[in-house]
Amino acid sequence: MDGGVNKKPGVTSSQVAGHAGVSQSAVSRTFTPGASISSKTRQKVLASAKELGYRPNAIARSLITNRSRIIAVVMAYLENLFYPDVLEELGRALAAENYHLLLFTGFMDRDSDPVFDQLMQYRVDGIILASTSLSSELSEECATAGIPVVLFNRTTERDAVSSVTTRNREGGKRIADFLVAGGHKSFGYIAGLENSSTNRDRQQGFIEGLAAHGITDVVIETGNYSRIDAETAARKMLSRPDRPEALFVANDHMAVAVMDVARYEFGLNIPQDLSLVGYDDVGPARWTSYGITSMSQPLKRMVEATVDILMDQIASGDIEAEHRILNGDLVVRTSARLPSSGIVERDGQQIYRPRES
Amino acid sequence: MDGGVNKKPGVTSSQVAGHAGVSQSAVSRTFTPGASISSKTRQKVLASAKELGYRPNAIARSLITNRSRIIAVVMAYLENLFYPDVLEELGRALAAENYHLLLFTGFMDRDSDPVFDQLMQYRVDGIILASTSLSSELSEECATAGIPVVLFNRTTERDAVSSVTTRNREGGKRIADFLVAGGHKSFGYIAGLENSSTNRDRQQGFIEGLAAHGITDVVIETGNYSRIDAETAARKMLSRPDRPEALFVANDHMAVAVMDVARYEFGLNIPQDLSLVGYDDVGPARWTSYGITSMSQPLKRMVEATVDILMDQIASGDIEAEHRILNGDLVVRTSARLPSSGIVERDGQQIYRPRES
DNA sequence: GTTCATATTGCATACGTATGCAAATTTGTA
DNA sequence: TACAAATTTGCATACGTATGCAATATGAAC
């Protein structure tokens, strides 16, 4: 243990009790919502608390109540610009429920076991996992301990863990439809991480959507959801003699990089020479220099759903897996050639929504 | 309080003690670094702990030791892409010291008093403030409580709170020198927040730097460190009949927006018609579509310094204010016309470093 | 084997708070 | 005013862990 013993313990509820001339349990009841305390006693306690600078000790309270009011959020990295937005929204939504966000980020190896040990030691009330997974034994442990877990923007093959996602497969298919309707004849896909559910579903949807139009020849490279790897993948794909004229990139974080490579290294005009569609609809996709047509993820609603599941499960003690699947929209901007129909205006945005849907 | 009582308390050290045939205090000593425990007893305890699935209760330990090993990080928003990078790096650096990051974010009004009450209730071991300030009475409370506070990328007029910043004033001056040396004759500055130390210093440096070259006529608009407001400020500034030909924008987050407005709404070529320099050197400044010449903030070193101060003060109990001021470099890219000399190659980047420095 | 210094162990206690429960007080109604 | 019901209060205790301290065990030197 470190040396420093200079952190002062703080004013205790016993000190407030003595000052107010009541018992320690009256002080506690004053600060416990719903507990029985008379107005007169409450005022005395609050006055003393204020005078003494009392702040209840959440650590002690957590020990007694078996409720830390801490939610662990695990995000291996924040580089993908989707996740900072999610994090900010989570901070807001959790604070509104009087929960606090213990963040685990900045670990590169994606192995979350050491992280998991730490958060379990803190007896967190719930866990939100983004961009990382949970082994089945750790999942079991959470179930046994009665701690709700929600996967954010991710699923597992087992349905045992709650999740909030969007219809990535339908999204991929919608993009395929859009590009085909735009008259494109050759197609490429720059993949995310091969072991990620979001990538698998987006890829599958895209491939199936193209196949439904009789197209089976799709060029695929992997970008690992990383800017550097996406640049490499783009260079490889755009160097082919049979270069595809329409690209679906698995997320906007990579799409931005791919567009830079296409324009500045290959001198391609977007969308005249190459159409490009991303996924997530994060900040830079919307910036004028990029204007990426992108499948949106309704971030606020996803966060709402996540916090909703957590709060319900914490309150009820029933932590059976629950899955919320939300719809996004294909937001049309300037990065891809347009179909002749199916584009509607919605909330000040152009949306691709063909007639059959 | 919520209903749910279904969160299981977890295996206790007393249960491990019973299983291993030793006392509870032997179990505790096994898990306390540096405590006296024989090899034989340690093995017995570890075996039992593993078999029972014991995880020490960090909450209970925090109460006893008066050490939560939690550091509160307060960042009002993550929209400015500098801060997600900082956050990720902080997560990494704190985890390396076996501290944990309690994040407060997503509050728009910048009033951190409710946030402060919450974090103090959790008896955090230290506080890092980015993009927000601390009133003098709260600062006093931390000093009295022996809790170290570090302002990240910010200072206050009082020197009472530790801080880690870069030389914003010298940065602004360097930018002025650079733009003057590039042959520019008229200048503008798009400010951040008027009450922020970083903005004040950058602006002051820029103004003084220009004045040293006999230039006193600088057009100023305020962007409030917000993309929307920066766009508005850019439109206003670029609509002037006496439009400046060189712009310093207080941070890259805004510079990206300003560049989009200049190019796509005013049809200006960068840097032929308008030179543009930003600050922070965050991700998008480096992207090829932008290529913003920008004063870099050495983010990793800043985080290191921050964590260094915190760890020292926690360990020693001496929380007298300490100030670390780091140097950045003016990283030259494609957004501004170049001077004829002073540009050197450093670590694969072009740096503006005139002879006198 | 004895002595001395050091390491180890378990007991008892404390940390600051919430809560069960019995006693005391207050409130509402006839 | 009396009585029943509801509210309030303080006492005693527990939560899970670390630690001071006295008792015991161990290791090294003679």
Side-chain angles (χ1 to χ4, degrees):
Chain A
M1 257 319 166
D2 312 301
V5 290
N6 295 63
K7 181 180 163 192
K8 312 288 166 16
V11 178
T12 67
S13 58
S14 296
Q15 288 169 306
V16 174
H19 191 268
V22 298
S23 68
Q24 181 270 324
S25 82
V27 174
S28 177
R29 281 196 298 272
T30 295
F31 288 95
T32 302
S36 176
I37 189 81
S38 72
S39 273
K40 184 176 160 190
T41 304
R42 178 191 300 274
Q43 305 284 21
K44 282 202 293 187
V45 171
L46 290 177
S48 293
K50 183 167 185 180
E51 182 165 339
L52 296 181
Y54 172 69
R55 292 191 195 271
N57 185 331
I59 300 292
R61 187 177 63 224
S62 301
L63 183 59
I64 293 299
T65 60
N66 198 22
R67 278 263 167 273
S68 59
R69 303 201 78 94
I70 294 176
I71 304 292
V73 176
V74 186
M75 288 187 183
Y77 54 88
L78 299 176
E79 190 191 18
N80 175 352
L81 302 178
F82 182 62
Y83 289 113
D85 288 347
V86 170
L87 196 52
E88 190 176 329
E89 204 57 45
L90 275 175
R92 191 173 290 130
L94 289 174
E97 301 286 340
N98 195 26
Y99 278 85
H100 308 92
L101 195 160
L102 194 63
L103 179 67
F104 294 86
T105 192
F107 50 101
M108 294 309 296
D109 54 356
R110 308 277 166 74
D111 177 25
S112 46
D113 277 24
V115 163
F116 186 82
D117 180 56
Q118 289 301 311
L119 66 82
M120 289 299 277
Q121 288 198 25
Y122 276 90
R123 302 295 194 266
V124 297
D125 291 348
I127 302 170
I128 298 172
L129 297 180
S131 70
T132 189
S133 288
L134 196 59
S135 68
S136 60
E137 67 184 339
L138 295 182
S139 169
E140 282 286 337
E141 185 173 340
C142 289
T144 301
I147 301 176
V149 179
V150 182
L151 299 180
F152 187 92
N153 199 31
R154 186 171 269 265
T155 60
T156 63
E157 285 159 359
R158 299 165 285 107
D159 276 350
V161 185
S162 301
S163 65
V164 173
T165 63
T166 57
R167 298 183 200 277
N168 288 292
R169 193 160 143 195
E170 284 79 357
K173 185 175 184 305
R174 174 63 54 88
I175 288 165
D177 293 342
F178 172 79
L179 290 174
V180 170
H184 302 90
K185 304 296 180 198
S186 55
F187 302 86
Y189 176 67
I190 296 192
L193 266 176
E194 293 190 338
N195 66 359
S196 105
S197 63
T198 52
N199 178 65
R200 185 199 64 217
D201 292 344
R202 290 172 192 179
Q203 177 166 339
Q204 205 163 13
F206 188 58
I207 304 272
E208 285 170 359
L210 292 177
H213 293 278
I215 296 152
T216 53
D217 194 19
V218 190
V219 187
I220 297 174
E221 298 290 345
T222 301
N224 295 313
Y225 286 136
S226 129
R227 185 180 175 84
I228 303 287
D229 290 359
E231 287 175 342
T232 303
R235 287 185 195 113
K236 201 166 173 190
M237 188 171 284
L238 297 180
S239 298
R240 300 173 62 103
D242 59 336
R243 178 169 67 207
E245 59 172 347
L247 277 200
F248 168 34
V249 187
N251 72 8
D252 289 342
H253 175 58
M254 293 195 299
V256 165
V258 170
M259 193 187 272
D260 279 350
V261 168
R263 286 195 295 198
Y264 298 103
E265 292 183 27
F266 288 81
L268 300 179
N269 285 313
I270 309 288
Q272 296 88 334
D273 302 326
L274 177 71
S275 286
L276 204 143
V277 180
Y279 214 105
D280 294 335
D281 194 33
V282 298
R286 298 184 213 121
W287 298 348
T288 321
S289 290
Y290 292 107
I292 297 179
T293 295
S294 182
M295 179 60 68
S296 71
Q297 300 234 59
L299 187 154
K300 280 184 208 274
R301 283 192 288 122
M302 288 172 80
V303 167
E304 262 179 44
T306 298
V307 173
D308 201 42
I309 293 173
L310 277 183
M311 296 298 122
D312 281 352
Q313 297 196 344
I314 288 172
S316 72
D318 170 14
I319 64 166
E320 208 165 302
E322 183 172 344
H323 302 280
R324 304 270 179 96
I325 311 186
L326 286 77
N327 289 313
D329 287 308
L330 183 51
V331 181
V332 177
R333 293 194 183 90
T334 57
S335 66
R337 301 207 298 275
L338 303 185
S340 54
S341 69
I343 295 182
V344 299
E345 167 120 1
R346 262 287 284 283
D347 300 321
Q349 302 193 89
Q350 305 287 333
I351 302 294
Y352 179 60
R353 179 150 299 179
R355 185 93 32 99
E356 329 104 50
S357 56
Chain B
M1 257 317 166
D2 311 301
V5 289
N6 295 60
K7 182 178 161 190
K8 313 290 166 19
V11 179
T12 66
S13 58
S14 296
Q15 286 169 304
V16 174
H19 192 268
V22 298
S23 68
Q24 180 269 323
S25 83
V27 174
S28 178
R29 281 195 298 271
T30 295
F31 288 96
T32 302
S36 176
I37 189 82
S38 72
S39 275
K40 184 178 160 190
T41 304
R42 178 191 300 275
Q43 305 285 23
K44 282 203 294 185
V45 170
L46 290 177
S48 293
K50 183 166 182 179
E51 180 165 341
L52 296 180
Y54 173 68
R55 292 192 197 271
N57 186 331
I59 301 290
R61 187 177 63 225
S62 301
L63 184 59
I64 294 300
T65 59
N66 199 21
R67 279 262 167 277
S68 61
R69 305 202 77 94
I70 293 176
I71 304 293
V73 176
V74 186
M75 287 187 184
Y77 53 87
L78 298 175
E79 189 189 22
N80 174 352
L81 299 179
F82 181 63
Y83 290 112
D85 287 348
V86 170
L87 195 54
E88 189 176 330
E89 205 55 47
L90 276 176
R92 190 172 290 131
L94 289 175
E97 301 286 338
N98 194 26
Y99 278 85
H100 307 94
L101 197 160
L102 194 63
L103 179 67
F104 295 86
T105 190
F107 50 100
M108 294 310 295
D109 55 355
R110 307 281 163 72
D111 178 25
S112 46
D113 277 25
V115 163
F116 187 83
D117 180 56
Q118 289 299 312
L119 66 82
M120 288 299 276
Q121 287 197 26
Y122 276 89
R123 301 299 195 263
V124 296
D125 291 346
I127 302 170
I128 298 172
L129 298 179
S131 70
T132 190
S133 288
L134 196 59
S135 70
S136 60
E137 66 184 338
L138 294 183
S139 169
E140 283 285 333
E141 185 173 339
C142 290
T144 301
I147 302 176
V149 180
V150 182
L151 300 180
F152 188 93
N153 199 30
R154 186 171 270 265
T155 61
T156 63
E157 285 157 2
R158 299 165 285 109
D159 277 349
V161 185
S162 301
S163 65
V164 173
T165 64
T166 58
R167 297 184 199 279
N168 289 291
R169 193 160 143 194
E170 283 82 356
K173 187 173 180 305
R174 174 63 53 87
I175 288 164
D177 293 343
F178 173 79
L179 290 174
V180 171
H184 302 92
K185 302 297 179 199
S186 55
F187 301 88
Y189 175 68
I190 294 189
L193 266 179
E194 293 191 339
N195 66 359
S196 105
S197 63
T198 52
N199 179 65
R200 185 199 63 216
D201 292 344
R202 290 171 193 178
Q203 176 164 341
Q204 204 162 17
F206 188 58
I207 304 272
E208 286 171 357
L210 292 178
H213 295 279
I215 297 151
T216 53
D217 195 20
V218 191
V219 184
I220 298 176
E221 298 291 343
T222 301
N224 296 312
Y225 287 137
S226 130
R227 184 179 176 85
I228 303 288
D229 291 358
E231 288 175 340
T232 305
R235 288 185 194 112
K236 201 164 170 192
M237 189 172 283
L238 298 179
S239 298
R240 296 172 66 99
D242 59 335
R243 178 170 68 207
E245 58 173 348
L247 276 200
F248 168 33
V249 186
N251 72 8
D252 289 343
H253 175 58
M254 294 195 298
V256 164
V258 171
M259 195 188 271
D260 279 350
V261 169
R263 287 195 296 199
Y264 299 105
E265 293 182 26
F266 289 81
L268 299 179
N269 284 313
I270 309 289
Q272 295 87 335
D273 302 325
L274 177 72
S275 285
L276 205 143
V277 180
Y279 215 104
D280 293 336
D281 194 34
V282 297
R286 299 186 210 117
W287 299 347
T288 322
S289 290
Y290 292 107
I292 297 179
T293 294
S294 182
M295 181 59 68
S296 71
Q297 299 233 63
L299 188 155
K300 280 185 207 273
R301 282 192 289 124
M302 286 170 82
V303 167
E304 262 179 45
T306 298
V307 173
D308 202 42
I309 293 174
L310 276 182
M311 295 299 122
D312 282 351
Q313 298 197 342
I314 288 172
S316 72
D318 170 16
I319 65 166
E320 207 165 301
E322 182 171 348
H323 302 280
R324 304 271 182 93
I325 310 186
L326 287 77
N327 290 312
D329 288 307
L330 184 50
V331 181
V332 177
R333 295 196 181 88
T334 56
S335 66
R337 301 205 300 275
L338 302 186
S340 54
S341 68
I343 296 184
V344 300
E345 167 122 359
R346 261 287 283 283
D347 298 324
Q349 301 192 88
Q350 305 287 331
I351 303 294
Y352 180 61
R353 180 152 298 181
R355 185 87 36 97
E356 327 106 52
S357 55

